[in-house]
Amino acid sequence: MESALIGWSRAQFAMTAAYHWLFVPLTLGLGLIMAVMETLYVTKKDEFWKKTAKFWQKIFGINFAVGIATGIILEFEFGTNWSNYSWFVGDIFGAPLAIEGIFAFFMEATFMAVMYFGWKKVSKGFHLASTWLTASGAAISALWILVANSWMQHPVGMEFNPDTVRNEMVDFWAVVTNPVAVSKFFHAVTCGWEVGGVFVVGISCWYLLKKREVRFARKSILVGSLVGIIGTFAVMFTGDSSAVHVARYQPMKLAAVEGLENGGPRAGFSFIPGVEVPGMLSILATHDIDGIVPGINDILNGYTDNEGNVIPSAGEKMEKGDIALAAFQDYRRLRDTDPEAAAQAKAVLDENIEYFGYGYIDSPEELIPPTGILFWAFRLMIGFGSICLLVMVIALYLERKNRIEGKNWLYHTALASIPLIYLAGQFGWMTAEVGRQPWTIQDLLPLKAAVSSIDHTAVITTFVIFAAVFLFFLIIEIKILAKAIRKGPGIDETLNQ
Amino acid sequence: MKPFRQILKSIGALYVEGFRGMTWGRTMWILILLKLFILFAILRIFFFRPVLGGKTDAEKSEFVGTMLTSPSHNDTITLKH
């Protein structure tokens, strides 16, 4: 059973990450939408598009201001609650985060200033470039964070140094071009486009419901739904490649998401319990209906994968983990007194290092993440995302057919879609992160070894403080956003019509 | 081409006049500063002291190495050998 210390440390990290993810996707999506709108202003020379872009830039700014620095709290938690982990990951984690801080953040800060202050100071072209660079800076920030996260899901490009007890980067490009990072980056960014699209369509429908800012709302629906629909299809495409990577590198996560106890070829996918499409899971995971998808029991007992590799059982991995951990202890004990014996111990450690974390696993059952949470989180992510896609397609169709006015049912549905798309994003991260339990770093470091040896009541205290601070800022953001939206863009309806 | 000093002056003016002319942005800056104060002046100092803070790299390696291999120092792990 998980200790109170691990439970509270996980809860605090999950709460902080979930809170951070409330702001990031809207920054990513709204960034693109406002850039497209400003491009329309520059190309069409229509003041209406300038005012429209400026309104959404204001909303972008409010969201950015409240979201800013929420990610820094995660770094506090690494140092205090997860100190073993923080040291063990070494420069693998530090390098991408440093690049994010120096390059992407300053890029955003510089060009955002031009975007907000430079309307009358710089040329139209330079201003437009600054808006695009602000939007791109947000995506580049996300890239480095996701590179760090993906390394935990599929560690590559490093070597463990038993002297420093750190993983040292030996191949920067292997870390950056980690296939998990590539698909996760595009999946997260395009998810942001969907969030941005749903948000803009929902808020625009509110104006139509109130019979205000009609031209602004209809044109915003046009741009927002197009970005959102393209984003959603890209989310599906990148989600498909994510599934293939999960099947290859984290098969237990996939088996747990499907609740698949015994796998094999032609594995079925159930949309809800009892409604199963035969062979669909094999197609999703391997792009081949005859592809083998191992179930939970197969992974625990050992199996042969699609390339013919024999994958050891959990018991065998645990034995190799014990050997690796014992060799690590021997190396530390002998390195100053008996260099030859220490070298032998290091050779044994290197041979078994890929199973290092299994040395901390007490029973194979510990390797199974919570299947119920994963099963429903994954399906709710897909379900809510699909509802939002449908709403955007209907809104776009009615707008193009000039039949969108007076459709109160659509306005209410579009507004209700805003919380749904946020929930879809949260469920997506829940699937990714709960699914890799018990690992902080896949196969190398489980939670129990990663957590700091501190008093769990201290973690409870900071959890409560964070919950209160987060709630305070969230209420303020929603109030400021609501005020800005109620005030509206104030566009003259006859402007350049 | 503008001389370098003139470019710097223009950049400075962009920021100074931009901040001076802010309307809703003022509220957002107050919010950002308040948040940064809570994070760095309260939470970071009083509640989030890094466990490895104040140690040299060698001491950090030794400390974490012990934490990863010694259940007597770290009660969240058990070792089977």
Side-chain angles (χ1 to χ4, degrees), chain A residues 282-343:
Chain A
S282 285
I283 294 172
L284 289 173
T286 65
H287 292 170
D288 176 1
I289 195 164
D290 291 318
I292 294 165
V293 179
I296 292 168
N297 293 332
D298 304 311
I299 296 164
L300 295 184
N301 297 327
Y303 65 99
T304 303
D305 71 10
N306 288 297
E307 281 82 40
N309 303 310
V310 177
I311 308 297
S313 69
E316 288 167 313
K317 289 178 183 174
M318 286 161 63
E319 276 175 28
K320 287 172 187 278
D322 288 344
I323 293 168
L325 214 53
F328 178 48
Q329 282 176 309
D330 290 343
Y331 177 79
R332 284 169 49 78
R333 184 169 47 82
L334 297 166
R335 63 184 166 183
D336 295 328
T337 54
D338 188 346
E340 204 173 309

Side-chain angles (χ1 to χ4, degrees), chain A residues 5 12 58 62 65-69 72-73 76-77 79-80 83-84 87-88 110 113 117-118 121 163-165 322 325-326 328-329 332 335 358-362 445 448-449 451-454 462 465-466 472-473 476 480, chain B residues 10 13-19 22 24 27-29 31-32 34-36 38-40 43-44 47-52 56-58 60-71 73-81:
Chain A
L5 173 64
Q12 187 179 91
K58 181 177 175 177
I62 295 168
V66 181
I68 203 166
I72 290 173
I73 304 166
F76 292 178
E77 291 171 26
T80 304
S83 57
N84 296 343
W87 186 253
F88 187 83
T110 305
F117 300 156
K121 299 269 179 194
D163 287 310
T164 58
V165 197
D322 288 344
L325 214 53
F328 178 48
Q329 282 176 309
R332 284 169 49 78
R335 63 184 166 183
Y358 286 90
Y360 297 104
I361 302 297
D362 296 318
L445 198 71
K448 60 170 90 171
V451 74
S452 302
S453 194
I454 54 174
T462 46
I465 292 172
F466 275 159
F472 171 73
F473 281 108
I476 289 182
I480 296 173
Chain B
S10 305
L14 175 83
Y15 279 90
V16 171
E17 288 169 30
F19 279 114
M22 276 193 313
W24 61 273
T27 315
M28 301 322 299
W29 271 106
L31 206 62
I32 290 170
L34 175 67
K35 183 164 50 175
L36 292 176
I38 294 172
L39 287 183
F40 287 98
L43 293 175
R44 179 70 177 78
F47 295 98
F48 279 93
R49 292 191 182 146
V51 171
L52 302 176
T56 64
D57 278 359
K60 287 176 184 172
S61 299
E62 188 56 36
F63 181 86
V64 175
T66 305
M67 283 294 154
L68 292 182
T69 54
S70 172
H73 287 84
N74 183 359
D75 60 12
T76 58
I77 61 166
T78 50
L79 300 180
K80 297 178 282 287
H81 46 270

Side-chain angles (χ1 to χ4, degrees), chain A residues 1-66:
Chain A
M1 194 179 149
E2 195 171 90
S3 75
L5 173 64
I6 296 174
W8 280 105
S9 299
R10 282 183 67 198
Q12 187 179 91
F13 199 88
M15 177 177 68
T16 315
Y19 184 73
H20 186 54
W21 191 249
L22 286 178
F23 306 103
V24 176
L26 188 60
T27 301
L28 294 169
L30 214 45
L32 177 62
I33 290 169
M34 70 192 193
V36 170
M37 287 170 169
E38 193 178 326
T39 306
L40 288 169
Y41 158 60
V42 173
T43 53
K44 287 176 179 278
K45 299 181 177 61
D46 183 343
E47 281 293 309
F48 163 81
W49 281 112
K50 180 181 175 183
K51 294 199 171 196
T52 301
K54 278 181 93 168
F55 175 77
W56 291 114
Q57 284 170 1
K58 181 177 175 177
I59 302 298
F60 174 91
I62 295 168
N63 180 67
F64 189 88
V66 181

